[in-house]
Amino acid sequence: MSVVKSRLVSDKKVSLSSDRVVYVTEDNLYLGKAIVTELKLRRIEAGLISLDNLQKRQHPASGLIILPQINPSNKNSDYFWDKEREFLLKAFELSKEIGQELIESSNLDKGGAILAGLSRIDGTLGFIRNKISNPVQGGIAGLIKTASLEWDKVCCHAIDIDPAWNDNETIAKAVVDEIFSYGPIEIGLTSDSRYIFELENAPFPKGQINLNKEDVIVITGGARGVTAECAYALASCVQGTIVLLGRSPAPTPDPSWLQNLTVDAEIKKAILVNHFAGQPVSPVQLEKEYKQYIANREVNKNIEKIKSTGAKAFYFSVDVTNEENIKKIISDIINQYGQIKCLVHGAGVLEDKFILDKTLDQFKKVFDTKVYGLKNLLRALSNQPLSYIVLFSSVTARHGNKGQVDYAVANEVLNKVAQSEALKRKSCKVISINWGPWDGGMVNSSLKKEFEKNNIKLISMEDGANAMVAEMSGDFSEPVEVVIGATMQIEKEKKREKNNFEFEISLDLCPVLKAHKLGDKPVVPFALIMEWIANSAMVNKSGLIFHGIDGMRLLNGIKLENKKENIAVIAARTEKEGAFFKVATEVKKETKNGYWVIHAKGGVILTNTLPFAPAYSLSDDIAETPYQRTIADAYEKVLFHGKLLQCIKEVIGFSIKGMAVKTLSHSTINEWITNLDIDKWLLNPLVLDCAFQTAILWCYENTGKVCLPTYFESYRQYKNSFPEDEVICVFEVKDLKEHKLIGDFIFIDSDKSVIGIMSGYEAIIDSSLMDAFNKGRSIL
């Protein structure tokens, strides 16, 4: 936002009907009285009205000017939340009562109408941030901007006056000049300057987030939709302990009768039989229970997704508007997990109705979730060493929006409190993000159609989440209030980063994708990503040999969303680590908006000489039970892999403790990818993918669910390459949790020598994956 000094007031003036009155609310500094006097000097009918008694009016209105009571906020750090809330609620009620009269007045042949709301923040709406008073009053601008859209013929102004300016007579003249002039809605006035405000395009910040895996991050807004996606993006960047606060009940495991069901009709039938025990229920009751079960499943899934990044994730059910409950929850979090370093306040609700139709209770519900939620959080966190406060505001606050006056008012309060907090907290980065509409969250199908009809682009979940992370990466010189929409641009990282590999993938350039589809999207195999990072680390490393990978994590699957996708594989500087060398690597994909998102990372281990392989023999425990399913049936009924990836030849061992298979080993580079400049496989992605398929089969036979790889702690390879004949792959199960499978892989050649060992392999288990497997298999 740029702040522009201007002394120009529009020459185009509003005329009012002579038989109507401009009403001005009383205030404790007598500015309202001075404004009435100035209006009468200009032969305009005017009168004072009390916000506490809305009924004492004898004539219809042609105008309304709302003034706040002034609180000495400079001497009080708690913002007078209750008093300022009362002011904003009364301002809404008065606007609603008089609104129809203003609309009628604006439609008169020889008349017009005015609406103005005043605040006393700093004379610049907080944007210059020299000294901020009464930030909660800033919400009045949200009311005025929304009214200007709903009552399009009424001339509306939100005017912020420097609280240090005390000359009421001069202020009154300046205010009256403004409110009768068409022009910018938002105006800032000081004793010597007039300000207008304009949005200014700017690149996303560059830098690093000042958080690490030891830090505790609290995020309000629940574990579904937008906030869950943002939690995942933040966890992917810093790991840490992510604590989600939401109104939904704490998640519980799916009951056994629901666990294997993914089709809506089958789920509802099971609910009728099991939850309602066959009792007659209405369609509304059934739908309500169905949604609760699905929401519970989604929360569980998102928590496991966050955990897959290496972060810890916890969920607490709480209403953010309940101060005592928030205080207790925050205290419990601190006691259990440590000091809180970051707050992301994303909680919000909608009750969309026009000003004239909205009830006070609806207004309070929307306002309090945002504003009192923030109040309660700031009070509960007052003794915490916060490095970040990130508030989810809305573009509705910046421009107003029909039907969302309460949302606009509440989010404008967040914006101005953020400005004040940034001024007070010298070591905490405060950001209030005025989001455009997301393709998810509170944007339901009907709202989405309305946005499409008006050619308003929606922010994708992935882009929005990564934009939040980008904003947090900036330093303290960056603006506090930012607006982010679907047309946002981030400077392409490839312009400032040297990539070891940068290439395109498509079905033609990467043929293996034709055999690896989940749902309706081709997905890059985890095994191929491992090969990419191994090769990137070997660039210009003559004399060193590939030995393995540590901490390999898949943050987000690389899907072929478009006909072609740009991939970058980046290797950092080689670091000596004991007898070995380590190269940190990342795999990124370029989004449609032109910036790069990290999808995988790991540390490649190099050495001068490969160590001897450990001895290994297949345990009798693994081979104790014959495997009943044929290989053909496994690929037809369980696995989703196409012919190129159908590499399991024979199951030679199967039990509750693991599974061993013989695999095909030979695959050419061009069968997988044609445009990557490498001479030979460093690993063997076909054998590695076969290992992951083995884990899927074991998981399915023991749980009825399937799994996908997300992480392994360590991979060590003891030969320069895999043999081209068959390889034995042994999967040893170490732990089985509700949503996670953990184990080790051992790769053995025909001479029973160990080729490689993958330790601490983790795969996420989710009943919904079977649908993606089935759909992917059907379109191969």
Side-chain angles (χ1 to χ4, degrees), residues 74-90:
N74 286 338
K75 300 177 183 178
N76 190 306
S77 62
D78 208 28
Y79 302 138
F80 293 93
W81 297 98
D82 296 337
K83 289 184 178 180
E84 300 293 16
R85 173 182 182 268
E86 184 180 1
F87 159 65
L88 293 171
L89 294 180
K90 289 178 178 179

Side-chain angles (χ1 to χ4, degrees), residues 115-117 144 155-159 178-185 187:
L115 173 68
I144 302 302
C155 183
C156 298
H157 287 92
I159 304 172
E178 292 292 346
I179 63 179
F180 283 92
S181 302
Y182 290 99
I185 295 176
I187 301 295

Side-chain angles (χ1 to χ4, degrees), residues 71-74 76-81 84 87-88 119-122 125-126 131-141 160 163 367 371 374 378 409-421 424 481:
N71 296 304
S73 294
N74 286 338
N76 190 306
S77 62
D78 208 28
Y79 302 138
F80 293 93
W81 297 98
E84 300 293 16
F87 159 65
L88 293 171
S119 58
R120 302 296 291 262
I121 300 172
D122 68 348
L125 292 172
K131 192 174 184 181
I132 292 176
S133 301
N134 312 299
V136 180
Q137 288 179 11
I140 193 69
D160 186 43
F367 181 88
V371 176
L374 177 60
L378 289 178
V409 171
N411 282 305
E412 270 289 64
V413 173
L414 261 60
N415 287 338
K416 303 315 168 189
V417 170
Q419 297 282 14
S420 181
E421 289 294 314
K424 293 191 300 181
E481 290 184 53

Side-chain angles (χ1 to χ4, degrees), residues 508-525:
D508 292 331
L509 296 171
C510 196
V512 72
L513 296 180
K514 299 172 185 177
H516 200 261
K517 294 183 179 180
L518 280 169
D520 59 353
K521 299 288 186 185
V523 180
V524 177

